[in-house]
Amino acid sequence: MPTPRDRRARLATFAVFFVQGLTFATLLTQVAALQKKHGLSDGELSILLLIVPVIAGAGSVLAGEIAKRYGSRVVLRIAQPLAGLAVVLAGLAATVPELVAANVLFGLCLGAVDAGMNMQAVTIERRYGRAILTGFHALWSAAAVIGAVWASAAGGMGLNLPVTFAVAMVTGVAIAVVAGPTLCAPEEEHVRPAGPAPGTDVPAGGRFPWRPILPLCLAMAFLYVGDASISNFGSVYMDKIMHASAAVVPLALGAYQATTFVVRAGGDLAVRRYGPAAIVRIGGALAALGFAGIVAAPNEPLAIVAFGVTGVGLSVVAPQSFSAAGRLDPAGTGVAIARVNMFNYVGFIVGAALVGGIADAADYQVAFAAPLVLAAAIILLARGFQPSRALLAPRPSEA
């Protein structure tokens, strides 16, 4: 049974996920606005967007090294407020070099927070003894919807980028600062399992093998090729292909995040009933269907619906990847989670380069055919999400 301390830590982790979703959506819904402000071509925009995942990968690795010694709480207490600052700096940037510098800071903090918050979530799931990780990602999606709705409202009111970013980020940073001290401490994250990690046949503290987590890594990469195409280019697609107004442009990402939230809100119950492999397999099929709708959409309403269907499919992959990685690392070292999280950025890099490159050669509607194929490949990787022999490592009191 979870203790009152476990419940407080869970609420704090919810807060961290909420702030990360808000931060991410606040910046990404304004990609088209940033492109117009700085006069960037589609190719230049693709290069700019590549900076974030490349630097985020370094941030994730750095977070993993720090967390092994000092726990993920210290990572989150430093990196999350800095991520909010980076978004505001991106809005204030008057030149392209200033925008690049803001993106570098944002990418570094994004990677650190992504890794740290999932380490916290896996620790909470282990302590609760049941599947609850999807719920954290659901709140991330809810916050992203709020960010997209705020961007739409700000566009309708004619607010400039610095004001739009600052309003959201002051709120987010305040929540992060309040939640930070209640997150799991290092002694709560790092435990000593009695034997080998389930399914790995490697003693705790030994060299962690790649083979059992490779399907999770590939699924994560394919997921984020699709997610990157929507996050980076969804607003551009609505602007250039659908010729939507400033108030409608953010609704593509809003629909994607809204359906992602709805599915994730009930996702833990579905995983407990049907198992992670079946849920991921269905998700891959629905994601492919959604991308097909984006490629074929004749008008704004149907395009927004297609983005929503894609959100239904992709929503389950990331939380189940982290959950499965956590089961393979019962000592709570964060090694498996950090590796899986790195493929988040591999997917973002490939997604930004692939979709941006195809869009340069053809257009954004054709470009969304690439993530369609990779989303379908997730169906074949679903077997790797089968639960291990045990969900939990021994709790600290049992070690």
Side-chain angles (χ1 to χ4, degrees):
M1 288 292 293
T3 66
R5 166 62 189 143
D6 293 336
R7 295 187 185 96
R8 289 194 299 271
R10 186 183 185 187
L11 288 174
T13 305
F14 272 130
V16 169
F17 272 82
F18 178 89
V19 174
Q20 183 76 333
L22 180 65
T23 303
F24 185 80
T26 298
L27 182 60
L28 269 294
T29 52
Q30 300 294 347
V31 168
L34 288 168
Q35 182 182 25
K36 289 180 180 178
K37 176 181 177 179
H38 295 279
L40 301 173
S41 68
D42 289 339
E44 290 169 335
L45 178 64
S46 296
I47 294 172
L48 181 67
L49 292 173
L50 280 172
I51 292 172
V52 173
V54 169
I55 300 299
S60 180
V61 172
L62 180 62
E65 291 303 311
I66 294 173
K68 279 195 295 187
R69 291 189 176 189
Y70 307 108
S72 59
R73 179 170 67 181
V74 67
V75 173
L76 293 168
R77 295 187 70 180
I78 295 170
Q80 192 150 58
L82 285 177
L85 174 63
V87 172
V88 175
L89 292 176
L92 291 170
T95 65
V96 173
E98 290 176 0
L99 181 60
V100 170
N103 273 14
V104 168
L105 178 60
F106 177 73
L108 186 66
C109 296
L110 177 75
V113 175
D114 276 347
M117 71 184 189
N118 280 291
M119 291 175 193
Q120 288 282 324
V122 166
T123 298
I124 298 297
E125 183 174 74
R126 182 182 293 119
R127 295 176 73 87
Y128 266 66
R130 63 179 186 270
I132 60 171
L133 200 139
T134 304
F136 294 112
H137 287 260
L139 195 59
W140 187 102
S141 300
V145 173
I146 292 172
V149 170
W150 165 241
S152 177
M157 291 185 289
L159 298 181
N160 61 30
L161 285 176
V163 173
T164 300
F165 288 166
V167 169
M169 291 301 93
V170 167
T171 303
V173 169
I175 294 172
V177 169
V178 171
T182 316
L183 293 167
C184 288
E187 59 271 18
E188 294 171 306
E189 283 188 274
H190 303 156
V191 296
R192 296 180 179 179
T200 65
D201 297 323
V202 175
R207 186 178 178 85
F208 199 93
W210 275 96
R211 185 174 180 179
I213 64 170
L214 189 58
L216 314 178
C217 293
L218 291 176
M220 181 70 85
F222 295 164
L223 150 68
Y224 276 103
V225 169
D227 189 83
S229 67
I230 293 173
S231 299
N232 291 335
F233 301 112
S235 62
V236 182
Y237 167 95
M238 293 297 291
D239 179 42
K240 294 191 172 183
I241 302 299
M242 295 297 155
H243 307 291
S245 67
V248 174
V249 163
L251 296 183
L253 182 59
Y256 173 74
Q257 295 295 355
T259 55
T260 296
F261 165 70
V262 170
V263 173
R264 285 177 172 174
D268 288 323
L269 294 175
V271 170
R272 292 171 204 164
R273 180 167 183 177
Y274 300 108
I279 296 301
V280 170
R281 190 173 294 114
I282 294 169
L286 288 173
L289 178 63
F291 279 118
I294 294 171
V295 171
N299 53 46
E300 292 175 26
L302 289 179
I304 292 171
V305 169
F307 278 103
V309 172
T310 305
V312 172
L314 294 181
S315 63
V316 298
V317 180
Q320 292 314 306
S321 296
F322 287 119
S323 183
R327 291 193 295 271
L328 293 170
D329 183 17
T333 66
V335 173
I337 293 170
R339 288 183 183 177
V340 170
N341 189 57
M342 283 178 60
F343 280 78
N344 168 345
Y345 309 115
V346 171
F348 254 92
I349 292 167
V350 173
L354 186 63
V355 175
I358 295 174
D360 248 356
D363 63 44
Y364 281 99
Q365 198 155 22
V366 173
F368 276 95
L372 187 165
V373 174
L374 294 179
I378 293 174
I379 301 170
L380 304 177
L381 296 168
R383 287 184 61 187
F385 289 76
Q386 293 289 354
S388 302
R389 293 192 300 269
L391 174 63
L392 302 177
R395 294 180 57 139
S397 59
E398 300 167 350

